[in-house]
């Protein structure tokens, strides 16, 4: 997958194609482009979604230029999604969509994927990427649905995965490894785990880590040590997640109960 952030002013893209699915948004200014004889204006709140091998160009709408965030999604990745969703062939029906909610989701995802700490949050990022990509295609792509029988995630397998999270709470988990351990694809596992528990694997693991952190705080352990023990990248990551969950920082929580 290719991710890019760029600023353009006096530059115009000549007619060209991409080999991958090309998803883009603008964060400042606006872009205009020609696609299959039609003119489109890409502004804030919109998502540009171009299929592989579709010719288009691009230039700034105004003299001040524009800034854009772009994600190229490999055809092979999309093929996995189509397989897991019982879909044969997937193509965007329009190169431009008004989607303020997905626009902000995309910006947040793009920022996290390009963060220096991305490797420490692989489970979260892959879950978010799959959710965004699936939602984008389900909303705006033309599909041909096919019928297939899927293997189910058993109660015992869900229990075993949960136990692994509790026993190895400090580990960095990867979606592919978890899915392989129960004989499912990443897409099957993510969907079926959420159906069984009401939470994605990442959300469940994050909450378990916070619960263990709370117990450790109650015992008087240092916040910086707890962060490493329960699998957060550092103290600031624990503090942010803890406050989001409990509306109080770890240090304030600890002061109140000790």
């Amino acid at each position: 997958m290719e991710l890019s952030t760029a600023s353009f002013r006096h530059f115009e893209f000549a007619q060209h194609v991409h080999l991958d699915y090309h998803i883009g948004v603008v964060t400042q200014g606006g872009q205009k482009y020609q696609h299959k004889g039609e003119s489109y204006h890409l502004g804030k709140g919109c998502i540009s979604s171009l299929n592989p091998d579709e010719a288009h160009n691009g230039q700034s709408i105004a003299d001040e230029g524009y800034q854009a965030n772009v994600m190229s999604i490999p055809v092979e990745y999309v093929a996995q999604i189509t397989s897991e969703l019982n879909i044969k062939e997937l193509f965007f029906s329009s190169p431009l969509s008004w989607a303020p909610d997905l626009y902000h989701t995309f910006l947040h995802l793009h920022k996290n994927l390009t963060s220096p700490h991305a490797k420490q949050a692989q489970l979260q990022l892959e879950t978010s990427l799959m959710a965004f990509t699936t939602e984008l295609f389900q909303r705006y792509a033309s599909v041909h649905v096919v019928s297939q029988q899927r293997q189910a995630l058993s109660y015992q397998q869900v229990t075993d995965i949960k136990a692994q999270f509790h026993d190895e709470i400090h580990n960095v988990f990867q979606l592919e490894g978890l899915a392989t351990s129960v004989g499912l694809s990443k897409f099957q596992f993510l969907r079926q785990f959420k159906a069984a528990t009401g939470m994605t694997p990442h959300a469940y693991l994050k909450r378990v880590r916070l619960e263990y952190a709370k117990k450790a705080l109650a015992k008087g352990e240092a916040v910086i040590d707890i962060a490493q023990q329960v699998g957060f990248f550092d103290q600031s990551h624990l503090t942010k997640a803890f406050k989001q969950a409990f509306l109080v920082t770890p240090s304030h929580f600890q002061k109140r109960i000790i």
Side-chain angles (χ1 to χ4, degrees), residues 85-143:
L85 294 177
N86 299 340
I87 293 171
K88 181 181 180 181
E89 298 182 351
L90 205 56
F91 293 98
F92 290 114
S93 17
S94 171
L96 187 67
S97 301
W98 169 251
D101 58 333
L102 285 181
Y103 171 86
H104 291 292
T105 299
F106 177 86
L107 287 177
H108 184 69
L109 176 61
H110 196 284
K111 179 181 178 181
N112 287 339
L113 286 170
T114 53
S115 164
H117 307 311
K119 289 186 178 181
Q120 281 74 36
Q122 288 185 2
L123 182 60
Q124 174 189 3
L125 292 178
E126 192 160 11
T127 300
S128 300
L129 175 61
M130 288 170 58
F132 168 79
T133 307
T134 301
E135 178 68 19
L136 183 67
F137 276 102
Q138 285 182 327
R139 284 199 203 180
Y140 302 115
S142 298
V143 301

Side-chain angles (χ1 to χ4, degrees), residues 145-231:
V145 180
V146 294
S147 177
Q148 278 186 318
Q149 198 70 25
R150 293 297 182 188
Q151 176 185 343
L153 186 64
S154 71
Y155 173 82
Q156 186 58 53
Q157 287 174 322
V158 172
T159 301
D160 291 343
I161 292 294
K162 287 181 176 180
Q164 187 177 355
F165 286 158
H166 284 265
D167 295 340
E168 304 171 25
I169 196 168
H170 60 283
N171 282 352
V172 176
F173 291 92
Q174 295 186 12
L175 199 57
E176 185 169 4
L178 293 169
T180 301
S181 70
V182 291
L184 296 174
S185 71
K186 295 184 294 184
F187 300 90
Q188 290 174 319
F189 174 73
L190 178 61
R191 187 169 62 252
Q192 293 185 27
F193 186 93
K194 186 175 182 179
T197 66
M199 305 172 73
T200 64
H202 164 70
Y204 179 85
L205 175 61
K206 183 178 180 180
R207 184 65 190 199
V208 168
R209 284 172 168 165
L210 289 171
E211 290 294 321
Y212 278 109
K214 192 162 62 169
K215 292 181 183 297
L217 288 167
K219 295 177 181 178
E221 297 182 30
V223 178
I224 189 171
D225 294 333
I226 295 172
Q228 296 176 349
Q229 291 169 13
V230 300

